[in-house]
Amino acid sequence: MSASRTARRRRVPVPGALLAAVLLAGCSDAGAGSGGGEPELGAIAVNPATASLSLPMDAYMDTEADALRMGRVQEGLVARCMARYGFTYEGVTAVEHAPAAAAEDRHAYLFGLADPAKAAAHGYDKTAGEGKPAKPPSPKLSDSAYTVLHGETPGGGGQGAPPAPDALNEEDAARVDSGIEVGGRKVPAGGCGREGYRRLYAPAKDSVDLLFAFGLAGEAHDRSKGDSRVVDVLRRWSACMDKSGYTGIKTPYEVVEKLGLQSDLGGAKAVSAAKADVTCKREVNLVGIWYAVEKAYQQRLVEENAETLALYEQQRDARFKLAASVG
């Protein structure tokens, strides 16, 4: 191709960092290896600040800064791929347009709203005062640029159409024929977008899924919800909310919906409810107890999945080295 065209796409959300100074030591019971029984807990912190919480799975989670950095590297890999076909690719990452971020609080809302200052100032509005990243306009791609980026012709992925050829990892991609050529060159399976992802996150067949640790953290959270100690503290939190005039609310995750606050998360009604919510959490030490339980379940899962997590760590180190070499 003689003329260089510009292709721009919006940043695909990177699973953001989810789950950072140890407050208590959680230890597993005798059945920890098999996942049986409720794990024993160490000392339970009293109303710890969420920014001070540290969970076992944190070690396997990218920080927000890491995720943004890797997002830029991934877009660089996509740009290199697009350049092979004569297109100039301009990736857009939130970090390039967002205001400077405050120190990361990975677990700010893990157990629902827990910060008294945030409750009093903003109610349930999580984004208040943070500003919003500016989104530069995304020009319409030419048909050829679209095809190279996505690995399918415009409109080719309509309802009822067979999925475009793709591959789970770059090793397999070498053997997958996309069936598409642009400018006399075969387009990679899934297009340059998928090639950039695979090169960074799935270079080989044994690549551990990027969301593996995220999934384990979610599993630990689900297990913790049924733990008798969490069930008890939720019952006591709910009773406290009843006394405060907010009846019938069983968990912190349903406050907004049950009270119909969705349309005005930072309004006076939301602030009043949020203050009661956090006050009740502190009265029963919900964060301290639930954190101790969740930590114990995470530790159990770390032990049960030690081999896969060790492989994931090795692959993440390799990924960071690749990022440094191409970034």
Side-chain angles (χ1 to χ4, degrees), residues 70-142:
M70 299 304 284
R72 290 196 302 272
V73 171
Q74 182 179 339
E75 289 178 337
L77 292 171
V78 175
R80 292 185 182 194
C81 176
M82 294 292 286
R84 300 203 305 262
Y85 299 85
F87 296 99
T88 299
Y89 172 84
E90 297 177 14
V92 179
T93 57
V95 72
E96 293 171 327
H97 306 284
E104 184 177 355
D105 184 350
R106 291 185 172 194
H107 310 293
Y109 296 98
L110 183 57
F111 310 115
L113 180 65
D115 187 328
K118 287 182 179 179
H122 306 297
Y124 292 98
D125 187 351
K126 297 179 182 179
T127 62
E130 292 184 2
K132 295 183 179 180
K135 280 189 177 180
S138 299
K140 179 177 172 59
L141 300 176
S142 69

Side-chain angles (χ1 to χ4, degrees), residues 244-317:
S244 301
Y246 301 100
T247 59
I249 303 174
K250 302 303 181 184
T251 78
Y253 308 123
E254 60 186 29
V255 177
V256 170
E257 182 179 358
K258 283 285 183 73
L259 298 181
L261 303 173
Q262 297 94 325
S263 62
D264 193 11
L265 295 173
K269 183 178 178 182
V271 167
S272 294
K275 290 166 68 175
D277 176 0
V278 173
T279 296
C280 285
K281 282 190 176 83
R282 296 180 70 81
E283 182 175 309
V284 301
N285 193 25
L286 183 145
V287 173
I289 293 170
W290 201 340
Y291 164 63
V293 173
E294 182 132 349
K295 184 173 183 178
Y297 280 104
Q298 281 204 12
Q299 184 59 43
R300 174 176 287 179
L301 286 171
V302 166
E303 294 166 3
E304 291 173 352
N305 295 274
E307 185 175 345
T308 303
L309 288 171
L311 179 60
Y312 177 82
E313 280 194 300
Q314 294 173 10
Q315 293 175 352
R316 185 171 66 168
D317 288 344

